[in-house]
Amino acid sequence: MTDILDDLAWRGLIAQSTDLDELRALLAAGPVTLYCGFDPTAPSLHLGNLIQILTLRRFQQAGHRPIGLVGGATGLIGDPSGKSAERVLNSEATVAEWVERVRGQVSKFLDFHEGPTGATMVSNLEWTGPMSAIEFLRDIGKHFPVNRMLARETVKARLDTTGMSYTEFSYVLLQSMDYLELYRRYGCRLQTGGSDQWGNLTAGVDLIRRVEGGSAHALTTPLLTKADGSKFGKTAGGETYWLDPELTSPYAFYQFWFNADDRDVEGFLKFFSFRPREEIEDLVKQGADRPAARIPQRALAEEMTTLVHGADETERVVAASRALFGQGSLEDLDERTLKAALAEVPRAEVPSGELPAVVDLLAASGLCKSKSEARRAITQGGAYLNNAKVESEAAVPAATDLLHGRFLVLRRGKRNVGGVEVTTS
C-alpha cells in the first residue's frame, strides 16, 4: 500500500494529528476505516469541502476504507466553528433535501465496491433521531466537563462577543457521538477534517477513550489561503464557488483554476491534483520557465473540471474558452456553455429589435471606456465581433450575427473579451 502519510505531508495536507507515529503504524497494519463529516448547511458543497472529499479519496486509493458522513442531524443545528454569530436554523424539510444533494456529491468521488476498502455513506440522523434527550444527557453529556467546553477557542470567542446558544454549544457533543457510533458500528479509527475542526475531532477521540477505552485518531488539513490575501474558493465579489453546476457553471469552475495566481498554483496542484509527485514538480517547473503559457493552471483546470463535472463537460468548457479568444468556432458552442462563458466577462444587455452599432456595444459592455476609445480600437484593427475583425467604425451587427439568436461576442485585442445578450423583456 502507498504510504499515505508521506504523500499527504509532501502535499502540505497535514496540519494537526493526535499521534502521527501511532497512526502510521495503524495504517501499515492493514485497511483502516476513516470518516469525514459534511453538514448540509447549503444546497451544495463548495471548493473548501473538496479538500476533505479528496482526502477521503486519497486514503481509499492507498488501501483504506472511507465513510462519508452527511449531517442529517448536525445540519439541523450548524457547527459554530469559525462563525462570529448564531446560524439561522433551516427547516427539517430543507435539511432533508440538502442531505440527499450532499450525499450524491460526496458519493461521486468514492468507490463503493464490495470488499474491505469499499466506501460507505451514512447520515448521523440514523442514530441521533431515535435518541431521547435523557439518553443523550446520560450517555453522552456526562462525559463532557463544562470547564473544558468553555475553554474551547470557538466558545471563548463567541462568549466574549455575540454569545452562544445552548444549541450550538452542544454541537461538539453531537459530532463526538458520531465518531463513537462509527467506532462501534464500523471499527472507525480515524476522523479527518479541516484545522478549524480540531477541537471537535479531538473531543470525539476523547469520548471513545472514555466510553470504550479504545484508541482513535484525528488528522486535520490546513485551511487554504491565497497569496493575495483573498479567501480561497470565493469570487472577487465574495460569492462562493459551488460543486453544483447549477450554482457555479462548469465554465466558471474551470476559469477559477485557470486564473490561479502563479504564487498559488503549486499549492493548488499539491492539494487537489491526483498526479504523481514527478508530474506536479514538472508542471511547476514549466510554469516557472514559461509563466505566460499558464501550463500548470491549464492542467489543473482540466483535471479538476473533469473530476467534478466529467470529461464531456470539460471538453465543452475548453472549446468555449478557446473560441472566445479566437482559437475555435463560436458557432459550434452549445447555448448553455456560451451563456455561462459570457456570464464571466464584461457584457451588456440590449432589448430586442434593431441592434446598436459595434462602437456602442464596445462602450456599453465596458471593453472600451468610451465611444471614442471604441472607434480607435476599430481603426487600429483591434476590435472583433464573433472573432471577425470589425473593419468600419459604422459597423452594425446583423440579426444573423446573433449566436443562438441572442448572443454576440466582442473582443478587444487578444485577451479582452466581452459579450452582448439580446433580451426580450
Side-chain angles (χ1 to χ4, degrees):
M1 286 186 240
T2 304
D3 192 324
I4 179 67
L5 294 184
D6 285 347
D7 183 59
L8 293 179
W10 175 77
R11 292 175 181 277
L13 281 169
I14 298 178
Q16 302 142 304
S17 172
T18 43
D19 190 318
L20 270 180
D21 290 336
E22 282 191 11
L23 179 57
R24 188 184 301 275
L26 179 66
L27 293 167
V32 169
T33 300
L34 71 148
Y35 96 96
C36 185
F38 304 90
D39 274 348
T41 53
S44 172
L45 297 177
H46 51 74
L47 277 184
N49 301 124
L50 191 57
I51 296 175
Q52 303 311 320
I53 300 173
L54 298 187
T55 298
L56 287 181
R57 183 184 176 105
R58 293 186 198 282
F59 270 99
Q60 186 173 34
Q61 290 184 347
H64 304 286
R65 181 191 187 192
I67 299 175
L69 181 144
V70 183
T74 44
L76 291 166
I77 292 175
D79 184 2
S81 300
K83 300 296 180 182
S84 59
E86 194 84 6
R87 289 177 181 267
V88 176
L89 298 182
N90 296 301
S91 70
E92 291 187 22
T94 296
V95 172
E97 178 189 345
W98 291 352
V99 162
E100 294 311 308
R101 288 178 177 232
V102 170
R103 187 194 298 271
Q105 288 182 332
V106 175
S107 297
K108 284 174 54 178
F109 298 90
L110 303 177
D111 187 345
F112 291 83
H113 64 266
E114 295 290 333
T117 63
T120 301
M121 290 293 299
V122 297
S123 168
N124 55 19
L125 194 60
E126 294 173 24
W127 51 84
T128 306
M131 180 178 279
S132 71
I134 293 297
E135 287 177 302
F136 179 67
L137 293 172
R138 283 178 58 87
D139 296 343
I140 304 299
K142 68 179 180 179
H143 297 292
F144 285 81
V146 171
N147 59 323
R148 289 183 59 183
M149 293 179 68
L150 290 171
R152 290 161 52 82
E153 289 300 321
T154 297
V155 176
K156 286 196 297 184
R158 287 278 292 276
L159 292 182
D160 290 341
T161 54
T162 58
M164 177 182 285
S165 71
Y166 180 74
T167 299
E168 288 197 347
F169 185 64
S170 302
Y171 183 93
V172 64
L173 278 70
L174 292 174
Q175 184 167 333
S176 299
M177 184 172 68
D178 291 343
Y179 199 174
L180 175 63
E181 192 66 27
L182 295 178
Y183 177 89
R184 288 169 168 168
R185 292 187 179 202
Y186 301 99
C188 183
R189 301 283 299 278
L190 172 64
Q191 182 182 181
T192 61
S195 58
D196 59 337
Q197 289 288 305
W198 180 244
N200 289 340
L201 271 62
T202 53
V205 169
D206 187 59
L207 181 62
I208 290 170
R209 180 186 60 80
R210 288 171 179 265
V211 175
E212 296 291 340
S215 171
H217 294 269
L219 180 76
T220 66
T221 61
L223 298 182
L224 191 54
T225 56
K226 293 170 69 176
D228 63 5
S230 62
K231 288 187 176 181
F232 171 77
K234 298 281 188 178
T235 66
E239 297 179 1
T240 299
Y241 282 93
W242 303 100
L243 303 188
D244 187 328
E246 297 301 320
L247 299 178
T248 296
S249 72
Y251 184 89
F253 188 85
Y254 178 94
Q255 291 299 319
F256 169 82
W257 303 104
F258 184 78
N259 292 323
D261 191 305
D262 290 336
R263 297 168 294 174
D264 290 324
V265 70
E266 180 177 359
F268 287 2
L269 280 165
K270 288 180 176 180
F271 265 55
F272 294 97
S273 174
F274 281 83
R275 287 179 165 84
R277 179 172 181 168
E278 295 76 17
E279 281 190 36
I280 290 176
E281 289 174 341
D282 181 59
L283 284 169
V284 171
K285 183 179 184 302
Q286 290 185 66
D289 293 342
R290 299 171 55 203
R294 306 191 72 76
I295 294 171
Q297 285 93 335
R298 189 184 309 277
L300 182 62
E302 292 188 12
E303 180 182 2
M304 298 316 301
T305 307
T306 299
L307 189 63
V308 174
H309 297 298
D312 290 345
E313 199 66 66
T314 302
E315 187 176 335
R316 284 191 283 269
V317 164
V318 170
S321 184
R322 291 176 58 83
L324 254 61
F325 293 94
Q327 299 173 347
S329 171
L330 290 167
E331 288 76 11
D332 291 341
L333 302 181
D334 66 272
E335 183 174 358
R336 182 175 66 89
T337 303
L338 179 60
K339 180 179 180 180
L342 293 182
E344 301 303 311
V345 300
R347 65 191 181 98
E349 292 185 356
V350 298
S352 58
E354 187 174 344
L355 291 168
V358 174
V359 165
D360 297 315
L361 294 174
L362 285 168
S365 68
L367 281 183
C368 295
K369 295 178 181 178
S370 63
K371 292 182 182 180
S372 59
E373 188 176 81
R375 292 189 188 96
R376 283 196 300 273
I378 293 173
T379 57
Q380 292 170 1
Y384 299 81
L385 173 69
N386 292 351
N387 288 336
K389 185 179 290 188
V390 179
E391 302 290 351
S392 167
E393 294 179 34
V396 177
T400 53
D401 291 323
L402 291 172
L403 301 165
H404 299 290
R406 58 192 286 214
F407 298 113
L408 296 170
V409 175
L410 303 171
R411 182 157 48 88
R412 182 185 180 189
K414 291 182 178 180
R415 298 193 59 82
N416 298 308
V417 175
V420 176
E421 181 177 359
V422 176
T423 60
T424 56
S425 57

